[in-house]
Amino acid sequence: LFMGIDKDGKVETAPDSVSGGQSDAMFLLVTNSDDQTLSVVSINRNSMTQIQVYSESGISLGTANAQICTQHGFGDGKKLSCSRTVDAVSHLFYNLPIDGYLSINMGAIPIMNDSVGGIEVEVLDDLSYPSAGVNLKKGETVTLKGMEAYYYLRGRDIGEFDSATNRLRRQEQFITSYFAKLTE
């Protein structure tokens, strides 16, 4: 399970059991050991499932039907949050075994992207963030660098219905290209 946590700074222990951050991006990376191929299964942050709920002091309050992205918040922002999210995703997929996880804060996107020389994409949505110098036009083929990658993967118009799904398509496109570039 690959998780992008809705925080920009350094990964730190949460001050309580409800501030671990949301797992805004989630993908199951499925490998076929026979032909060495990788498939990406996107999980919409708004998918509803049973999650474990805790008080600020860490006392279990039972389960609730909620957006899967909120599960990561109930923990320490580190291993405990991740393992609870793995359990919630496994439950969502009818107890599918998940062998491991990788979690990053979204602020690491520019570093990951630039470490492989940038990722080439055909831009799926117009995205403009003038203060960051980002102006991407739908249909352009570009190599994302630095903050362009950050805004391409994180940006969405919360006033637009279902903008999380459009963002998920961009994230899936990026992650597929990223892992293909890593295998080169």
Side-chain angles (χ1 to χ4, degrees):
L1 178 65
F2 179 82
M3 296 172 271
I5 308 307
D6 192 13
K7 292 186 175 226
D8 282 331
K10 180 181 174 189
V11 175
E12 297 178 338
T13 302
D16 55 43
S17 292
V18 297
S19 302
Q22 294 185 8
S23 50
D24 240 12
M26 287 180 284
F27 305 93
L28 281 175
L29 304 176
V30 183
T31 57
N32 181 331
S33 57
D34 291 335
D35 64 8
Q36 300 300 309
T37 58
L38 175 74
S39 298
V40 178
V41 178
S42 304
I43 303 167
N44 191 308
R45 70 179 303 283
N46 295 325
S47 297
M48 301 297 285
T49 193
Q50 289 290 311
I51 66 166
Q52 298 291 318
V53 180
Y54 295 84
S55 70
E56 284 187 32
S57 60
I59 297 169
S60 175
L61 301 176
T63 62
N65 195 33
Q67 292 171 301
I68 197 161
C69 66
T70 61
Q71 181 64 81
H72 191 275
F74 293 104
D76 60 358
K78 293 181 174 181
K79 187 175 182 177
L80 183 58
S81 290
C82 290
S83 66
R84 288 177 177 167
T85 304
V86 166
D87 290 344
V89 170
S90 175
H91 176 77
L92 179 68
F93 287 93
Y94 303 98
N95 298 318
L96 175 76
I98 298 173
D99 295 326
Y101 66 85
L102 174 65
S103 172
I104 65 162
N105 281 1
M106 298 297 271
I109 291 169
I111 297 165
M112 281 181 47
N113 179 78
D114 293 355
S115 73
V116 295
I119 297 296
E120 185 176 290
V121 296
E122 181 178 327
V123 178
L124 299 178
D125 302 298
D126 289 340
L127 295 165
S128 181
Y129 297 91
S131 62
V134 175
N135 188 27
L136 301 169
K137 297 291 182 196
K138 183 178 180 175
E140 290 180 323
T141 299
V142 300
T143 299
L144 299 171
K145 298 287 185 181
M147 292 307 286
E148 285 178 328
Y150 175 86
Y151 284 105
Y152 192 72
L153 296 176
R154 192 158 187 203
R156 73 179 177 120
D157 181 353
I158 60 172
E160 179 185 321
F161 176 74
D162 206 23
S163 65
T165 299
N166 290 340
R167 178 178 64 184
L168 184 61
R169 289 183 315 118
R170 294 191 312 267
Q171 291 170 342
E172 184 178 271
Q173 174 198 39
F174 180 91
I175 203 88
T176 301
S177 296
Y178 183 83
F179 280 102
K181 197 162 186 182
L182 278 179
T183 60
E184 291 175 4

